[in-house]
Amino acid sequence: MKRVWQECIECRSVYDADAVRYRCDCGGLLEVSIDIESLGDISWERFRSRRFNVWRYIELLPFEDHEHAVSLEEGGTPLYKADRLAEWLGAKNVYIKYEGMNPTGSFKDRGMCVGITKALKLGARGVACASTGNTAASLAAYSAKAGIPCIVVVPKEVVALGKLFQALLYGAKVVRLHGTFDEALSLVWKASEEVGVYLLNSINPWRLEGQKTVAFETVDQLGRVPRYVVLPVGNCGNIAAAWKGFKEMEMAGLINEKPSMVGIQSEGASPFVDLVKEGLETLRPVETPKTVASAIRIGRPVNWKKALLAVKESGGLVAKVSDAEIIQAQRMLASLEGIGVEPAAAASVAGVKKLIESGDIDADETIVCVCTGSMLKDPNPELIKGLEPTEIVPELGLVRDLLASLLSR
Ligand code: F0G
């Protein structure tokens, strides 16, 4: 039997794996721990004899097996070598881990398959989340698959239309709150505890267990450990999850070095970057976060202490980027590589550009950008501006001239 428990990242108090709680009695964040030393035979060969998805790494997941897993074949996303983008960035070896290829088009599916599987094991009768959009879409899909009723609460103003449509179509009860994401999370969290609905935001440590597989896959695909792993940061869960993945691979003897974790936020929603850069003792929340990257429009990230550990322990870096830089990175990634990502996902590429220009990232080293969501989620007019199609009447001459112009370039 694999030994699995929940543990406070601050006071190290231990809780049973089946205790439904989202914080320690001391207020600290909880993480799921697995007794990795006792796992026995773990090897890349063994992993690679299995299908390429989240469940390939079952030994390092907090379940005995995946017989009862709620799965839509999440994970197993491409790692593209992006040479034309690298040239634009002024770097040598740039890879894009394209999480838009997950079943609902974002990395959230990695965590939600584990989160919903845990919910079923616990006998949950209803699940809920607050979301800037992707968590809502993912939870809606996995609760549909599991047959559990689901409520998702999103901020009224700023959710990408594609994400909203996903949650509606998958059959969730979708609630638009006249307030921010941070208000939505705080309310849904309190109410979930009061009525006994299972909360599947990233404050739930089981979600992060699935999300850590992005680290496993990156090493599995690359065949080595990159120097930098760059992620967009919102509620601060995913960067912590990826770091946990690297630490566990080292504990299991699968790797013998670890990357620096690099967290990128938007200028209008950068409480975590400010915390790190200014060396603050505690988070200074942003009351009205603003950015074109609506997925990471978050002013009070609940997992900031975990993300801070990830950046500190890994000798990592942070940077903030403007909306214009995000849009430019989104366009360059799409037009140079054919990889279409949503603005939050493009923030990682924009951040790399900035950190190479400032000399903080060594451009000769291997850089992996985790691009967290698909472009199809967010066809917002602000993102289309300047890319509009050419309009013509139906005349052969016009079409001929246009086609000929391709050859005269
Ligand atoms: N990228 C995308 C596309 C996201 O949707 C999110 C978070 C992040 C990055 C940041 O990850 O929160 O773990 O630091 N989206 C959440 C949601 C908040 O509700 O969909 P994080």
Side-chain angles (χ1 to χ4, degrees):
M1 276 287 270
K2 196 185 293 183
R3 223 162 59 77
V4 179
W5 65 97
Q6 302 185 91
E7 189 167 326
C8 174
I9 66 160
E10 293 188 55
C11 76
R12 292 288 153 197
S13 289
V14 167
Y15 298 93
D16 189 84
D18 288 341
V20 178
R21 53 185 312 146
Y22 312 103
R23 277 217 195 264
C24 177
D25 286 340
C26 81
L29 297 167
L30 296 177
E31 66 181 7
V32 175
S33 296
I34 300 172
D35 185 6
I36 291 185
E37 272 87 46
S38 71
L39 290 180
D41 180 22
I42 307 184
S43 67
W44 290 112
E45 289 64 39
R46 192 149 179 209
F47 290 153
R48 287 182 186 140
S49 68
R50 304 174 182 145
R51 290 167 69 89
F52 186 37
N53 61 39
V54 162
W55 304 97
R56 169 179 276 198
Y57 313 97
I58 184 67
E59 286 85 352
L60 295 172
L61 293 174
F63 302 126
E64 283 303 319
D65 55 51
H66 50 86
E67 205 184 326
H68 301 291
V70 180
S71 174
L72 293 165
E73 297 271 345
E74 49 290 320
T77 59
L79 181 74
Y80 296 117
K81 182 138 199 291
D83 288 337
R84 301 183 72 214
L85 183 80
E87 199 176 316
W88 176 67
L89 292 169
K92 283 204 177 127
N93 286 305
V94 176
Y95 292 82
I96 302 294
K97 181 67 174 155
Y98 182 40
E99 293 288 277
M101 294 290 275
N102 276 295
T104 77
S106 86
F107 72 97
K108 303 288 179 179
D109 299 340
R110 290 182 187 278
M112 220 46 95
C113 61
V114 171
I116 284 284
T117 299
K118 185 69 188 174
L120 283 188
K121 280 189 191 301
L122 293 168
R125 288 187 297 122
V127 293
C129 73
S131 178
T132 56
N134 282 323
T135 299
S138 185
L139 181 60
Y142 284 84
S143 57
K145 174 86 180 163
I148 300 185
C150 162
I151 290 190
V152 303
V153 182
V154 299
K156 180 164 181 278
E157 301 299 334
V158 291
V159 174
L161 190 59
K163 301 174 189 176
L164 199 62
F165 177 52
Q166 285 182 287
L168 291 164
L169 191 66
Y170 291 132
K173 168 92 183 155
V174 179
V175 180
R176 290 171 97 174
L177 179 103
H178 296 227
T180 61
F181 164 81
D182 303 291
E183 288 172 301
L185 178 53
S186 143
L187 295 171
V188 175
W189 183 352
K190 280 203 187 83
S192 299
E193 290 190 314
E194 278 175 26
V195 304
V197 158
Y198 196 57
L199 180 68
L200 273 165
N201 277 97
S202 56
I203 191 78
N204 182 323
W206 298 87
R207 271 255 327 262
L208 301 187
E209 287 304 292
Q211 288 175 212
K212 75 188 180 186
T213 57
V214 74
F216 305 161
E217 286 186 9
T218 298
V219 177
D220 200 345
Q221 289 168 296
L222 199 58
R224 60 194 155 86
V225 178
R227 174 70 185 81
Y228 302 100
V229 175
V230 189
L231 300 104
V233 170
N235 221 4
C236 289
N238 205 32
I239 191 169
W243 177 238
K244 188 170 190 283
F246 285 107
K247 285 198 295 188
E248 291 183 356
M249 278 189 283
E250 189 179 55
M251 277 189 255
L254 292 162
I255 57 174
N256 43 31
E257 57 187 341
K258 301 194 288 308
S260 292
M261 305 303 291
V262 184
I264 312 297
Q265 290 194 304
S266 219
E267 277 175 0
S270 62
F272 179 69
V273 171
D274 296 342
L275 173 89
V276 177
K277 287 221 153 167
E278 295 175 34
L280 304 177
E281 293 277 302
T282 188
L283 191 87
R284 190 175 61 222
V286 174
E287 291 310 328
T288 44
K290 276 201 169 59
T291 163
V292 71
S294 59
I296 51 172
R297 199 181 312 215
I298 294 176
R300 202 181 278 272
V302 290
N303 290 305
W304 67 267
K305 284 191 179 168
K306 282 188 179 175
L308 186 60
L309 283 175
V311 170
K312 280 193 173 162
E313 289 174 359
S314 71
L317 296 163
V318 293
K320 49 182 158 180
V321 291
S322 68
D323 280 0
E325 288 166 335
I326 289 174
I327 293 173
Q328 183 190 34
Q330 185 191 36
R331 290 179 182 185
M332 295 313 279
L333 180 56
S335 62
L336 292 174
E337 299 290 346
I339 304 172
V341 305
E342 67 168 287
S348 60
V349 175
V352 168
K353 179 141 184 76
K354 201 155 214 178
L355 290 167
I356 285 178
E357 279 166 7
S358 65
D360 291 302
I361 277 188
D362 181 346
D364 292 339
E365 296 279 2
T366 300
I367 304 164
V368 172
C369 287
V370 181
C371 285
T372 42
S374 161
M375 66 174 281
L376 295 175
K377 288 169 168 282
D378 191 3
N380 152 6
E382 199 181 341
L383 301 172
I384 299 172
K385 218 188 243 149
L387 300 175
E388 290 83 359
T390 302
E391 310 265 346
I392 57 165
V393 293
E395 261 177 34
L396 178 61
L398 293 172
V399 178
R400 190 193 297 125
D401 288 351
L402 282 168
L403 297 196
S405 74
L406 278 184
L407 306 180
S408 61
R409 277 206 265 176

